[in-house]
Amino acid sequence: FSDFQCPFCKRVTSTIDELQKAFPSQVRVVWRNLPLPMHQNAEPAAEAAMEAFAQLGEKGFWAMYELLYQNQTQLDRASLDAYAAQIGLDMKRFGNALDMQIHKAQIDADAKAANDAGISGTPAFVINGYYVSGAQPVLLLTFFPYDIRFSGGVRVAAVDRNGDGKAEIVSVAGPGGGPDVGTFSGVNGARLDQFFAYNPAFSGGLYIAGTGR
């Protein structure tokens, strides 16, 4: 979930690019709009991106995405028109789309999905069922939260908050999906490397050293 006028959303674009380059067959980015009320140009910018997608598909969307973030301080209507012309959009259709707000329903649906999930800020990510808030640095060993499933249905998620390749356990859930604090007392906030060993030969890049906790 992102906002084209949000500076933190712009900051995290490099991390997204890095992820896609490192894992081209494993990472799929699904864009959701969440223009925040305090950003007056965020919704028109989202409309521009959605119209680029409507006219040119994914290629058009990502071309507009790049221009919007590269020129984040210039998201007024004249600038949006210039970006649309630059990527070769039909300007009559583009102008009508923004004037009539024909993509507003889709943008509002994205915002409702965020609200229903308890997400109110940007950027926000839902990765493998886990919510990650903010412009986080490289996540867990190889950039993203790992969903580690132990026998019995226990799940552990971790994030590399410091970007040093060592992850901190941030979520532990039991078989029913809720926290298993009795079994995992003291684990939240611990360093993941205290419990796991990295083994590049293992499928997925992670080897579970094992613990009876």
Side-chain angles (χ1 to χ4, degrees):
F1 292 88
S2 198
D3 171 324
F4 284 111
Q5 201 174 348
C6 167
F8 300 103
C9 295
K10 179 179 180 179
R11 182 186 303 174
V12 83
T13 57
S14 60
T15 301
I16 295 172
D17 290 344
E18 204 168 355
L19 264 171
Q20 291 181 298
K21 289 176 182 176
F23 304 99
S25 63
Q26 294 173 272
V27 173
R28 182 168 69 99
V29 176
V30 178
W31 177 269
R32 292 293 190 99
N33 292 289
L34 185 56
L36 302 178
M38 73 283 288
H39 295 152
Q40 63 179 3
N41 292 324
E43 188 161 333
E47 291 266 3
M50 293 299 97
E51 179 58 21
F53 177 77
Q55 291 194 30
L56 299 179
E58 289 191 11
K59 179 181 178 180
F61 172 83
W62 292 113
M64 181 63 78
Y65 162 101
E66 293 288 346
L67 287 172
L68 294 173
Y69 278 128
Q70 287 171 6
N71 302 281
Q72 193 175 54
T73 60
Q74 297 174 306
L75 299 179
D76 56 278
R77 178 57 183 270
S79 295
L80 296 180
D81 287 345
Y83 306 148
Q86 185 174 333
I87 65 173
L89 297 188
D90 179 318
M91 294 307 297
K92 184 175 181 180
R93 285 180 58 189
F94 181 80
N96 182 66
L98 267 63
D99 291 341
M100 302 301 294
Q101 294 185 296
I102 65 174
H103 301 292
K104 180 173 172 53
Q106 181 180 355
I107 294 167
D108 288 348
D110 285 351
K112 183 179 185 303
N115 184 68
D116 290 347
I119 296 171
S120 58
T122 57
F125 302 86
V126 179
I127 309 174
N128 292 340
Y130 289 100
Y131 168 48
V132 179
S133 176
Q136 297 290 348
V138 175
L139 305 178
L140 181 70
L141 299 177
T142 48
F143 310 79
F144 56 92
Y146 239 96
D147 178 2
I148 305 159
R149 296 174 183 269
F150 288 88
S151 60
V154 174
R155 302 167 67 183
V156 178
V159 172
D160 177 4
R161 296 189 186 280
N162 301 317
D164 60 3
K166 296 182 179 180
E168 173 186 327
I169 294 174
V170 295
S171 175
V172 178
D180 192 354
V181 294
T183 303
F184 283 84
S185 177
V187 168
N188 282 335
R191 300 290 294 200
L192 188 67
D193 54 298
Q194 294 171 359
F195 301 93
F196 302 95
Y198 185 60
N199 182 346
F202 186 80
S203 176
L206 196 68
Y207 170 74
I208 298 178
T211 175
R213 299 173 186 272

